[in-house]
């Protein structure tokens, strides 16, 4: 079982489908009922509309009070505390983005008091540090796309000159699926 924040975004939809393909039960947060529908259509078992539902309470309900073993958080500041509160004992929060701003400083011993939690800041460059590793990871992604287990959804396209608007739309939660900049 996993929790994916921003599950209807470009990366969120890819992760959701891939996690389900691997056999995970997927819980995902979105900001609207429309995005919850998109997430469900892409394999999210339990979309949670974070603007109207208590995410922590819903995750605890879905997990029989235990929490999830892992949370994937691309949002950052506005979801980090929620991520920690949704984790099971010895669970891991994977922070890999900061669309709402950076995660605030953390008292590491607080993780101890919350159930010996783990937190990692995952950066793409560290998982593709050399050419062979990059090619291996790219091959894995393209294989699941070729197999049909994961489909790439382009939600919106922007002219390169409108890159600032694309960023604003991402920050304002006005996008679904992947956003593409066109030269």
């Amino acid at each position: 079982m996993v929790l994916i924040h921003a599950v209807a975004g470009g990366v969120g939809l890819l992760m959701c489908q891939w996690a389900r393909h691997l056999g995970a039960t997927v819980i995902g947060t979105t900001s609207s009922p429309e995005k919850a529908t998109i997430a469900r259509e892409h394999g999210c078992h339990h979309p949670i509309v974070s603007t109207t539902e208590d995410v922590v309470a819903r995750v605890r309900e879905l997990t029989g009070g235990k929490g999830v073993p892992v949370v994937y958080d691309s949002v950052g500041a506005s979801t980090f505390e929620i991520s920690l509160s949704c984790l099971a004992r010895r669970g891991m929060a994977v922070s890999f983005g900061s669309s709402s701003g950076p995660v605030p400083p953390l008292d590491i011993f607080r993780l101890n008091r919350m159930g010996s939690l783990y937190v990692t800041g995952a950066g793409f460059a560290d998982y593709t540090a050399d050419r062979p590793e990059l090619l291996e990871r790219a091959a894995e992604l393209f294989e699941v796309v070729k197999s049909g287990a994961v489909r790439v959804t382009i939600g919106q396209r922007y002219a390169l000159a409108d890159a600032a608007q694309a960023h604003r739309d991402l920050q304002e939660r006005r996008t679904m699926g992947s956003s593409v900049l066109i030269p």
Side-chain angles (χ1 to χ4, degrees), residues 68 96 144 175 179:
V68 293
F96 67 98
V144 295
T175 64
S179 299

Side-chain angles (χ1 to χ4, degrees), residues 17 25 75 108:
Q17 295 171 83
T25 298
V75 180
I108 196 158

Side-chain angles (χ1 to χ4, degrees), residues 25-85:
T25 298
V26 179
I27 303 170
T29 64
T30 70
S31 60
S32 71
E34 296 79 22
K35 290 182 179 184
T37 298
I38 294 291
R40 188 173 274 111
E41 290 170 355
H42 284 78
C44 182
H45 296 91
H46 306 285
I48 300 170
V49 180
S50 61
T51 54
T52 60
E53 295 180 73
D54 181 329
V55 174
V56 176
R58 185 76 175 111
V59 167
R60 293 288 170 180
E61 175 188 326
L62 291 167
T63 61
K66 293 180 180 177
V68 293
V70 65
V71 176
Y72 294 100
D73 189 342
S74 64
V75 180
S78 68
T79 54
F80 186 70
E81 287 298 322
I82 293 168
S83 294
L84 294 180
S85 296

Side-chain angles (χ1 to χ4, degrees), residues 24-175:
T25 298
V26 179
I27 303 170
T29 64
T30 70
S31 60
S32 71
E34 296 79 22
K35 290 182 179 184
T37 298
I38 294 291
R40 188 173 274 111
E41 290 170 355
H42 284 78
C44 182
H45 296 91
H46 306 285
I48 300 170
V49 180
S50 61
T51 54
T52 60
E53 295 180 73
D54 181 329
V55 174
V56 176
R58 185 76 175 111
V59 167
R60 293 288 170 180
E61 175 188 326
L62 291 167
T63 61
K66 293 180 180 177
V68 293
V70 65
V71 176
Y72 294 100
D73 189 342
S74 64
V75 180
S78 68
T79 54
F80 186 70
E81 287 298 322
I82 293 168
S83 294
L84 294 180
S85 296
C86 288
L87 286 170
R89 184 178 315 276
R90 295 186 307 274
M92 178 179 285
V94 180
S95 178
F96 67 98
S98 57
S99 61
S100 70
V103 171
L106 175 68
D107 170 10
I108 196 158
F109 289 103
R110 198 167 140 243
L111 300 175
N112 179 324
R113 294 186 301 273
M114 295 180 80
S116 297
L117 304 179
Y118 297 85
V119 174
T120 187
F124 180 73
D126 293 315
Y127 289 86
T128 57
D130 57 43
R131 184 100 178 126
E133 189 174 20
L134 171 65
L135 293 175
E136 178 185 344
R137 295 193 187 284
E140 289 175 26
L141 173 62
F142 291 131
E143 187 56 41
V144 295
V145 171
K146 274 184 8 186
S147 77
V150 172
R151 57 193 158 107
V152 179
T153 301
I154 298 173
Q156 48 283 313
R157 292 171 171 81
Y158 298 88
L160 187 55
D162 296 327
Q165 183 61 51
H167 281 276
R168 283 190 295 276
D169 288 351
L170 284 167
Q171 288 174 321
E172 307 270 332
R173 299 175 165 182
R174 290 190 294 246
T175 64

